[in-house]
Amino acid sequence: MGNELIDKYVLFRHRDVENIHQIEVYRANDGYRALEKALKEMQPGDVTNVVKASGLRGRGGAGFPAGVKWGFIPKDIYPKYVVVNADESEPGTFKDREIMTYNPHQLIEGIILTCYAVGAETAYIYGRGEFAPVFRDHLQQAVAEAYRHGYLGRNILGSEFSMELHLHLGAGAYICGEETALLSSLEGQMGQPRSRPPFPAVEGLYAKPTVINNVETLTNVPPIVLHGSDWYRQYGTEKSPGTKIFSLSGRVNKPGNYELPLGTPIRYLIEECGGGIIDGKAVKGILPAGASSAIIGPDKLDTTMDYEAMAAAGTMLGSASFIILDETVDAVWAAEKNVKFFKHESCGKCSPCREGTFWLVNVFRKLREGHGTKQDVELLETIIEQMKGNTFCLLGEFVVPGVRTSIDLFRDEYEALAVAEEETTPGPAKDLIHTFF
Amino acid sequence: MAWTEKEQQELDKILKKYPPDRKLSAVLPALYLAQREKNWLDNDDIQAVADALDIPVTHVHSIIGFYTLFRKEPTGKYMVQVCTDLPCALRGAEDFYRRFCERMGLPPTGGTTEDGLFTVESVVCLAACDKAPMCQINLEYFESLTDDKIDQIIASFREQAKIQQ
């Protein structure tokens, strides 16, 4: 049961209990007991308080304390909504898909508890369009079972509390993982972010108070409510309590999802869980938060995977999607892949992101095709400097740390590509302008 | 196009998910429904979605343009989308994709096969990075692929198409 670092899985309970996706099996293994406990013994505010006390932080990337977020919901405005972010689109992240496929009831129970805590009667799970089979074959069945057993619908378990849970699929847009863009999309608009304030807690879906949390975040809620905050805090660190799912990919022998206590060293994830690097090669770089990451080098392998330590190491934990580069990987190629991703996914709303990613892709292409000059490496640095802090939403500048750290860590590889003669005209090269028109 | 009776029922069911004055929320599910039959949307389909939701047809066009999963041009019966994003590419997905395109008789960038059965393209992350190389075929996941495995899958879709004819 569990793994070497946790006795029993908190989130990936399907790895301990076979067929836990079936409601009978889930119920026979403490399933929906937290909900029964909440409806019988707890006021809504008590649920928020235990989640606050647990220190559970948002698992979508920002790490904001979930209970505190719920506390922002105004009491006297109705209706209220809970929206679950299942847009999982960050390259390297594939944890929510596993939860929804194999342990859907724990997520559903978490959603119901959240609705009870904040007084919402309607919840939506917004999944990326590519999750259509996950929704159709797994989540939809689980939701239907929950309705049949009286955990959803009118007067849940004989209480005064009623709620509806709906599934909604996006249609292919990374930006919809940004919470205000997700709301625009759910309202039937293009998925473009909105300005904040007003924050979704006050004016969210249909301009009503809305809690938005990630799938993994809400999957933590039933065990917290059932076993209490002290139990939850047995794992993790003081400021980053609990377990977390780490999605490990790239040049390791055993890529996959690993649930570990927050605060576990990166080295453990790569060597013990991932079985080390393919062909015994050396680690060259680590992207701890997918394509959005500042890259860190092998000197940071003993950093612990919690929000604070990762920030101190110059990067972030984000959604904990660890993409591992080994010594065989061309650093400029890897950076270009991510830059292309961000150009492809720019929503077009603000010019620093829309134009910035366009120019980055062009300069990378020029370098990689052998026409680069030293000025082009500087041009990359100028472009990201101009993007930094100037994009409309956070996702717009997610391209910046990867390029910045790639140049800082592997500058020799960039300079090795700057083979062409220096250009005499200042500003962007003519052939770059040409491609724009 | 006119909605079939079954589609109309599904549409009504979709609309119930959203507040009565928020029909616009149903635009993505309605587009999926309109696209289901032939895998792409013609002007009649787009108009039908606009009419069903009481929204301007230009809005429906802007939605189709914004999201990647809707298509205004005919495509193959089967959309084969191979992920070649960084995590998959680190496990050989780019070479896998090139070889696959070659065996399908397509240029390295993909395209539609001559018989019109398959449209092959490379796409960004599909949240299956640990099982690279991988692809979706009409959004169904196929993971931990090898050249042989994908060839067999393609062969089985060819069979399926033959039977349906």
Side-chain angles (χ1 to χ4, degrees):
Chain A
M1 303 288 243
N3 57 38
E4 273 178 30
L5 300 187
I6 49 177
D7 321 329
K8 282 184 181 170
Y9 284 107
V10 177
L11 304 163
F12 277 169
R13 295 194 62 213
H14 54 283
R15 293 187 179 186
D16 282 336
V17 182
E18 214 178 319
N19 292 327
I20 202 163
H21 65 282
Q22 296 167 1
I23 198 162
E24 292 78 15
V25 179
Y26 183 64
R27 286 178 60 187
N29 288 278
D30 287 345
Y32 291 107
R33 274 189 52 211
L35 180 62
E36 284 171 29
K37 177 180 172 182
L39 291 178
K40 284 184 187 138
E41 302 166 20
M42 299 167 84
Q43 294 298 314
D46 300 336
V47 176
T48 302
N49 286 338
V50 69
V51 172
K52 257 186 207 166
S54 77
L56 169 65
R57 296 171 65 168
R59 301 294 197 236
F64 192 82
V68 176
K69 201 175 195 180
W70 300 359
F72 293 149
I73 295 288
K75 296 255 175 302
D76 47 351
I77 303 173
Y78 291 93
K80 308 179 203 294
Y81 293 99
V82 168
V83 177
V84 185
N85 188 340
D87 194 60
E88 187 161 65
S89 304
E90 179 69 36
T93 314
F94 42 92
K95 63 190 178 61
D96 296 339
R97 187 178 151 219
E98 180 166 345
I99 292 174
M100 292 187 288
T101 304
Y102 298 107
N103 192 16
H105 282 291
Q106 191 170 325
L107 167 64
I108 294 168
E109 187 178 6
I111 296 168
I112 306 168
L113 286 163
T114 309
C115 285
Y116 178 67
V118 302
E121 294 194 340
T122 310
Y124 293 94
I125 305 179
Y126 181 102
R128 60 180 297 183
E130 294 85 349
F131 281 169
V134 180
F135 271 43
R136 184 197 60 217
D137 299 338
H138 304 281
L139 213 43
Q140 208 161 298
Q141 257 88 330
V143 170
E145 281 183 323
Y147 269 104
R148 272 200 299 278
H149 284 77
Y151 298 119
L152 286 168
R154 302 299 309 165
N155 300 102
I156 294 170
L157 300 177
S159 73
E160 293 291 298
F161 176 62
S162 304
M163 69 161 287
E164 303 290 335
L165 172 59
H166 303 295
L167 306 183
H168 182 102
L169 282 170
Y174 170 73
I175 186 64
C176 292
E178 199 281 339
E179 59 181 17
T180 62
L182 187 155
L183 293 174
S184 300
S185 178
L186 183 48
E187 290 177 358
Q189 306 287 351
M190 291 190 283
Q192 292 185 318
R194 307 171 179 176
S195 61
R196 287 179 290 194
F199 286 89
V202 183
E203 278 186 38
L205 183 64
Y206 308 132
K208 296 295 179 189
T210 302
V211 165
I212 307 177
N213 279 128
N214 172 260
V215 166
E216 184 187 350
T217 311
L218 296 188
T219 306
N220 277 280
V221 173
I224 290 171
V225 170
L226 188 60
H227 304 299
S229 56
D230 287 344
W231 171 87
Y232 188 74
R233 284 180 171 276
Q234 70 179 301
Y235 297 121
T237 68
E238 173 64 28
K239 287 184 175 162
S240 298
T243 63
K244 171 88 190 78
I245 300 164
F246 297 90
S247 298
L248 179 64
S249 67
R251 303 291 301 163
V252 290
N253 283 309
K254 290 187 285 177
N257 282 320
Y258 297 96
E259 181 178 340
L260 304 168
L262 282 158
T264 304
I266 300 172
R267 190 184 294 281
Y268 185 91
L269 176 69
I270 295 178
E271 288 175 8
E272 301 303 317
C273 302
I277 304 297
I278 295 172
D279 295 335
K281 299 284 186 195
V283 172
K284 177 171 182 169
I286 301 161
L287 287 74
S292 311
S293 307
I295 306 167
I296 49 175
D299 56 313
K300 300 287 188 336
L301 274 168
D302 292 310
T303 308
T304 55
M305 301 184 291
D306 52 79
Y307 297 97
E308 290 68 33
M310 295 302 284
T315 184
M316 61 175 183
L317 185 64
S319 56
S321 16
F322 282 72
I323 306 173
I324 310 301
L325 312 179
D326 71 359
E327 57 186 312
T328 67
V329 176
D330 172 345
V332 184
W333 167 84
E336 186 192 25
K337 290 291 288 182
N338 285 343
V339 162
K340 281 182 176 167
F341 172 83
F342 286 110
K343 174 180 179 281
H344 183 259
E345 295 298 341
S346 174
C347 83
K349 178 161 182 151
C350 73
S351 46
C353 170
R354 186 185 62 239
E355 308 301 321
T357 53
F358 170 87
W359 284 106
L360 286 173
V361 164
N362 276 306
V363 179
F364 265 99
R365 186 194 302 137
K366 195 179 167 206
L367 278 170
R368 299 236 313 129
E369 285 178 356
H371 310 299
T373 67
K374 270 197 169 159
Q375 284 173 314
D376 288 318
V377 183
E378 288 161 23
L379 184 55
L380 289 177
E381 294 179 295
T382 312
I383 296 168
I384 54 172
E385 270 316 305
Q386 291 181 74
M387 294 181 73
K388 199 174 158 191
N390 292 325
T391 55
F392 186 85
C393 79
L394 263 182
L395 270 60
E397 54 180 307
F398 276 178
V399 71
V400 173
V403 176
R404 178 71 267 163
T405 49
S406 179
I407 296 173
D408 289 345
L409 288 170
F410 312 113
R411 185 175 284 275
D412 50 333
E413 291 182 48
Y414 284 82
E415 286 178 353
L417 291 174
V419 288
E421 298 257 323
E422 296 240 345
E423 282 157 40
T424 46
T425 39
K430 279 201 190 91
D431 58 335
L432 295 179
I433 294 172
H434 178 72
T435 55
F436 187 79
F437 304 102
Chain B
M1 97 179 190
W3 302 99
T4 64
E5 198 178 321
K6 185 166 175 279
E7 285 166 349
Q8 188 60 53
Q9 282 168 1
E10 282 180 61
L11 195 59
D12 294 342
K13 211 170 143 192
I14 289 166
L15 282 166
K16 285 204 185 92
K17 292 185 189 179
Y18 312 100
D21 58 339
R22 299 286 182 175
K23 279 164 102 171
L24 184 56
S25 277
V27 67
L28 300 183
L31 281 167
Y32 279 122
L33 195 59
Q35 189 175 256
R36 192 169 63 190
E37 183 62 33
K38 61 180 186 303
N39 231 354
W40 65 283
L41 298 154
D42 62 28
N43 281 337
D44 288 347
D45 300 327
I46 296 165
Q47 188 63 51
V49 169
D51 292 344
L53 305 180
D54 299 323
I55 54 176
V57 72
T58 49
H59 185 80
V60 185
H61 280 283
S62 74
I63 294 291
I64 296 167
F66 186 84
Y67 296 93
T68 59
L69 292 180
F70 301 120
R71 293 171 288 273
K72 285 203 222 179
E73 303 287 333
T75 60
K77 185 176 170 67
Y78 303 106
M79 281 295 296
V80 185
Q81 298 174 303
V82 181
C83 176
T84 57
D85 221 346
L86 180 64
C88 280
L90 287 168
R91 308 186 73 78
E94 285 185 327
D95 287 339
F96 169 84
Y97 179 68
R98 269 193 288 271
R99 291 193 305 269
F100 175 57
C101 287
E102 200 180 317
R103 292 197 307 283
M104 296 293 280
L106 296 169
T109 46
T112 302
T113 53
E114 264 179 33
D115 56 10
L117 273 185
F118 299 96
T119 296
V120 177
E121 63 178 15
S122 72
V123 296
V124 296
C125 194
L126 294 171
C129 321
D130 55 335
K131 302 200 174 62
M134 61 77 59
C135 72
Q136 285 194 313
I137 302 180
N138 289 358
L139 298 185
E140 299 299 323
Y141 279 93
F142 296 91
E143 301 175 320
S144 307
L145 295 172
T146 59
D147 290 0
D148 282 350
K149 211 167 151 186
I150 183 93
D151 288 348
Q152 282 167 22
I153 293 162
I154 292 295
S156 70
F157 276 106
R158 270 193 215 287
E159 273 310 300
Q160 188 184 312
K162 238 186 237 167
I163 293 162
Q164 284 173 1
Q165 269 177 356

